[in-house]
C-alpha cells in the first residue's frame, strides 16, 4: 500500500471516507496492523496502563514514549504514525518543542497533546517548526484527577459550547487533527462538521471522521471494557483477522454501534 500521509487523511475526510486508527506499542503489532489495512497508528501513553500495569497514564515518561515510538516505526509500512506526548512533557511551548522533536526523530509523523485552549501557543510553536499536532480534548486522561475521574465530558449546554469553541480555536491555531474522547455523539458530530481537519473519535459516536481504540481493548483483553469498546476477537482465528474486522467496521460505519455511544 502507498504510504498514508496527513494529506491522505485530509482527503479522506473531504471525500467522506472513514479513517481507522488503532493504538500500537511495538514492531510486531505494527506489522500485523499494517497487513490488516489500518490507516493510522497511535503510540499511546495508554502503554502505562496496558503494558506497565499502572492505573493511569501519568507515570509514562518521554524516554518510554520515544522507545515505543521507535519500535512501532520500525515495524510500520504505510500507516500514518501519531505519538502521544506524556504528562508534563509540554508544560510550555519551549518544553513541548524539545520533547516533540524526540518523538519525531524516533519516527512519529505527528504528536498528540491533551488539553484545552492553553495548548494554543504550543500548537503554533510546534507547527511553525514542522511538527504536525493532533489536539486531544474532551476526556483527557492526563487530567483525570482534575476531571474527577474518567467521565463523559460536554453533557451540559455550557460544556458543549466550550468544547465546540475550543475545537475551532485549536484548529485555527494550527492543529492538523483533533481527537475527541468520551463526548456525546451529537456534540462530536457538530464539532466534526464545523472544522476542516480530520476528527478522531473514541467514545464520541459514529459521525467523527475516524475511530480509534486501544489495541488490547479491541482484542478483548480488558476485563472491564468501557462502553465504547467492542471485542473484535470474538469468532476470529487470528489477531490480523480481528484488526481487519475492526477496520471494515469503521469503514462501513457499523462501528461504533448505538450501544457504544453516549447519547444525552
Amino acid at each position: 500500500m502507498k504510504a498514508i500521509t496527513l494529506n491522505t487523511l485530509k482527503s479522506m475526510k473531504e471525500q467522506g471516507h472513514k479513517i481507522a486508527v488503532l493504538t500500537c506499542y511495538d514492531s510486531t503489532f505494527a506489522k500485523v496492523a499494517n497487513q490488516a489495512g489500518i490507516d493510522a497508528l497511535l503510540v499511546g501513553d495508554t502503554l502505562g496502563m496496558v503494558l506497565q500495569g499502572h492505573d493511569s497514564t501519568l507515570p509514562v515518561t518521554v524516554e518510554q514514549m520515544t522507545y515505543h515510538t521507535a519500535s512501532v516505526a520500525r515495524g510500520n509500512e504505510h500507516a500514518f504514525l501519531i505519538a502521544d506526548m506524556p504528562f508534563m512533557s509540554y508544560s510550555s511551548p519551549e518544553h513541548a518543542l524539545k520533547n516533540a522533536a524526540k518523538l519525531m526523530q524516533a519516527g512519529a509523523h505527528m504528536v498528540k497533546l491533551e488539553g484545552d485552549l492553553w495548548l494554543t501557543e504550543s500548537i503554533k510553536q510546534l507547527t511553525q517548526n514542522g511538527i504536525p499536532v493532533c489536539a486531544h480534548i474532551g476526556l483527557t486522561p492526563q487530567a483525570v484527577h482534575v476531571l474527577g475521574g474518567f467521565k463523559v465530558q460536554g453533557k451540559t449546554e455550557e460544556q458543549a459550547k466550550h468544547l465546540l469553541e475550543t475545537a475551532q480555536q485549536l484548529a485555527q491555531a494550527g492543529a492538523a487533527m483533533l481527537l475527541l474522547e468520551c463526548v456525546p455523539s451529537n456534540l462530536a458530530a457538530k464539532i466534526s462538521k464545523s472544522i476542516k481537519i480530520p476528527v478522531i473519535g473514541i467514545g464520541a459516536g459514529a459521525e467523527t471522521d475516524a475511530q480509534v481504540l486501544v489495541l488490547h481493548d479491541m482484542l478483548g483483553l480488558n476485563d472491564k471494557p468501557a462502553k465504547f469498546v467492542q471485542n473484535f476477537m470474538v469468532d476470529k482465528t487470528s489477531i490480523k483477522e480481528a484488526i481487519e474486522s475492526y477496520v471494515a467496521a469503521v469503514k462501513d460505519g457499523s462501528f461504533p454501534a448505538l450501544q457504544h455511544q453516549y447519547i444525552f
Side-chain angles (χ1 to χ4, degrees), residues 4-264:
I4 294 174
T5 67
L6 184 56
N7 285 338
T8 307
L9 299 177
K10 290 178 179 177
S11 179
M12 290 175 73
K13 176 184 175 89
E14 292 169 359
Q15 297 173 25
H17 299 317
K18 296 291 186 179
I19 301 164
V21 188
L22 194 61
T23 68
C24 189
Y25 315 99
D26 64 36
S27 176
T28 299
F29 276 100
K31 290 178 181 177
V32 173
N34 272 261
Q35 292 167 1
I38 204 73
D39 297 313
L41 292 172
L42 169 63
V43 185
D45 58 2
T46 42
L47 66 87
M49 302 171 79
V50 299
L51 298 188
Q52 298 175 343
H54 297 297
D55 60 3
S56 76
T57 62
L58 302 186
V60 179
T61 66
V62 173
E63 290 71 27
Q64 290 166 349
M65 288 304 305
T66 302
Y67 171 87
H68 285 280
T69 297
S71 297
V72 172
R74 285 190 285 270
N76 190 40
E77 297 171 5
H78 71 267
F80 189 72
L81 184 55
I82 308 166
D84 268 342
M85 295 192 67
F87 180 63
M88 291 302 293
S89 67
Y90 48 99
S91 57
S92 69
E94 295 73 25
H95 198 204
L97 186 60
K98 177 183 177 181
N99 289 317
K102 296 177 182 178
L103 294 175
M104 296 296 287
Q105 289 170 337
H109 302 140
M110 168 181 275
V111 298
K112 180 168 74 65
L113 287 68
E114 298 180 15
D116 208 303
L117 289 174
W118 60 269
L119 292 174
T120 300
E121 291 306 314
S122 290
I123 290 172
K124 289 179 180 179
Q125 177 84 302
L126 292 172
T127 303
Q128 288 169 1
N129 283 274
I131 301 177
V133 176
C134 175
H136 180 162
I137 64 174
L139 172 59
T140 48
Q142 290 177 16
V144 63
H145 297 304
V146 174
L147 299 174
F150 295 95
K151 300 178 180 179
V152 179
Q153 304 296 305
K155 292 192 291 184
T156 69
E157 185 176 343
E158 182 179 359
Q159 292 171 345
K161 180 181 179 182
H162 176 72
L163 282 175
L164 175 61
E165 292 175 349
T166 297
Q168 294 170 340
Q169 291 185 45
L170 294 181
Q172 290 173 4
M177 293 184 76
L178 183 78
L179 189 146
L180 290 174
E181 180 168 359
C182 289
V183 300
S185 297
N186 61 336
L187 173 59
K190 189 174 183 179
I191 291 173
S192 299
K193 293 173 183 176
S194 74
I195 56 179
K196 294 182 179 180
I197 62 175
V199 176
I200 305 170
I202 179 166
E207 294 190 52
T208 54
D209 307 301
Q211 297 293 330
V212 65
L213 282 179
V214 171
L215 174 66
H216 295 60
D217 288 346
M218 61 82 63
L219 293 177
L221 299 177
N222 190 335
D223 292 335
K224 297 179 180 180
K227 174 184 174 68
F228 53 78
V229 171
Q230 178 175 330
N231 180 357
F232 284 88
M233 270 301 294
V234 175
D235 299 326
K236 301 299 184 294
T237 59
S238 70
I239 289 173
K240 179 174 177 286
E241 188 178 337
I243 299 176
E244 287 174 336
S245 178
Y246 166 68
V247 171
V250 171
K251 298 289 186 182
D252 67 21
S254 59
F255 176 81
L258 193 60
Q259 67 264 29
H260 303 120
Q261 303 182 41
Y262 298 106
I263 299 174
F264 297 94

